[in-house]
Amino acid sequence: MAVDPQGNDIQRFLQEDPGGPLVMMNLVKFKEGGRASFAEYANAVMPFMLKAGAQPLYAGDCSTPLVAEPGQTWDAVMLVRYPSRAAFLQMVSDPEYQRFNHLRTAALHEAVMQATLPWAASP
């Protein structure tokens, strides 16, 4: 199962950049006992997020799915606004940030990191 972005994922993320801010949606499934490791990761990387100009918008546990196929349920969701894709990539490329990424990798069974873009305002 996918947990961390790979080289091709990052290239596509940059190539498809429309410019401007984005909200990164993170859906995660924890390995057994992984919640504590993920909490440690989240606390450790918060200063890097703030330095990158990121704004945590929401983090919470997922509850009963209303519509989902079997296996499509998640343990937690996080929404984080970044000023740009470049700011996000600069953050995750920082060697100091990388010192903590193993905590995330060890904690997760599966993850989705989905860049989202705001819809144009309706007239």
Side-chain angles (χ1 to χ4, degrees), residues 30-123:
F30 297 115
K31 291 179 182 174
E32 189 168 331
R35 191 176 289 270
S37 180
F38 193 84
E40 186 179 349
Y41 160 80
N43 287 331
V45 301
M46 184 60 70
F48 298 97
M49 292 172 60
L50 297 175
K51 180 180 171 187
Q55 292 177 286
L57 302 175
Y58 177 83
D61 290 329
C62 293
S63 184
T64 307
L66 185 57
V67 176
E69 294 293 323
Q72 286 185 325
T73 59
W74 299 94
D75 294 325
V77 60
M78 287 81 50
L79 299 171
V80 181
R81 184 181 187 281
Y82 292 91
S84 66
R85 291 182 188 215
F88 173 81
L89 288 175
Q90 184 177 3
M91 178 191 77
V92 298
S93 299
D94 183 324
E96 287 299 308
Y97 172 97
Q98 287 294 321
R99 289 184 36 230
F100 301 104
N101 198 56
H102 72 282
L103 296 168
R104 180 184 179 279
T105 302
L108 300 181
H109 172 69
E110 187 175 5
V112 170
M113 294 177 71
Q114 177 77 51
T116 70
L117 304 171
W119 287 346
S122 300

